Amino acid sequence: KTVDDLKSVTGNITVKAVYTANEYVVIFMNGEEKVGEVSYRYGATEIQAPAVPEVAGKTGRWSDYDLTLADNQTVLAVYESKTFTITFDYGDSGFVGDKTMTVTYDENFTLPENQSEWEFDGVAWIIVGTNQELTEGKYTIDGDITVKFTFTEKHKYFGV
């Protein structure tokens, strides 16, 4: 009924108000790309967010959002570079250096320096399970690895 319909009422009546909760939208963005859009009604405590797009070497999550704000929101994908451990296997070479190193995906790193009384010629760092030689610099390491220290000749260091 409308207000005009109620003008002709001459006695008591009961009127029930009917409300529809406001509807809002959360837009999920990865850079300039719209990943998804989720509508929700006022009072909702959770929504089903789309999966964060995968990026090699990174862990992704959605930035924080708050459904109690009662407003449309834009949520951004946030990424952190993964870290991995390189374990150094010196065998019985006598090489003295760090046993492990934490490296960040796709960033430069420096191999350990020898801190023993021995000098080594023909040094190579070989990734165990492969024939790939590891040198200083930038690598796409996407998991923990073990690196074996190899050399062709060993002699005492006498200093200068």
Side-chain angles (χ1 to χ4, degrees):
K1 300 262 183 205
T2 67
V3 173
D4 288 336
D5 294 334
L6 297 176
K7 288 182 181 177
S8 61
V9 175
T10 57
N12 292 336
I13 63 168
T14 301
V15 178
K16 272 189 175 176
V18 177
Y19 297 97
T20 302
N22 291 341
E23 187 171 63
Y24 304 101
V25 175
V26 178
I27 299 171
F28 295 88
M29 301 288 294
N30 183 24
E32 298 296 317
E33 176 191 357
K34 183 176 174 181
V35 176
E37 181 176 303
V38 178
S39 297
Y40 71 98
R41 293 207 179 275
Y42 177 81
T45 58
E46 61 182 51
I47 59 173
Q48 183 64 46
V52 178
E54 290 186 19
V55 173
K58 310 269 184 187
T59 301
R61 65 173 180 79
W62 293 117
S63 61
D64 295 335
Y65 55 95
D66 184 355
L67 301 181
T68 64
L69 292 179
D71 200 359
N72 296 328
Q73 299 176 60
T74 299
V75 178
L76 305 175
V78 178
Y79 295 94
E80 286 185 24
S81 292
K82 292 179 181 179
T83 58
F84 302 102
T85 300
I86 299 176
T87 302
F88 298 100
D89 176 359
Y90 303 119
D92 59 0
S93 68
F95 186 101
V96 176
D98 294 333
K99 300 287 186 206
T100 62
M101 175 188 296
T102 301
V103 295
T104 302
Y105 180 85
D106 214 23
E107 286 188 8
N108 289 333
F109 63 90
T110 303
L111 292 168
E113 290 188 26
N114 181 22
Q115 299 170 12
S116 75
E117 61 187 19
W118 296 100
E119 283 187 339
F120 301 93
D121 296 326
V123 169
W125 300 88
I126 306 297
I127 299 174
V128 173
T130 74
N131 282 330
Q132 182 181 356
E133 184 175 348
L134 188 68
T135 59
E136 293 179 9
K138 193 174 194 175
Y139 284 86
T140 303
I141 296 174
D142 57 1
D144 296 340
I145 61 172
T146 298
V147 179
K148 178 120 176 108
F149 176 74
T150 62
F151 59 95
T152 56
E153 191 175 322
K154 169 181 168 181
H155 46 90
K156 283 273 192 186
Y157 175 72
F158 293 106
V160 179

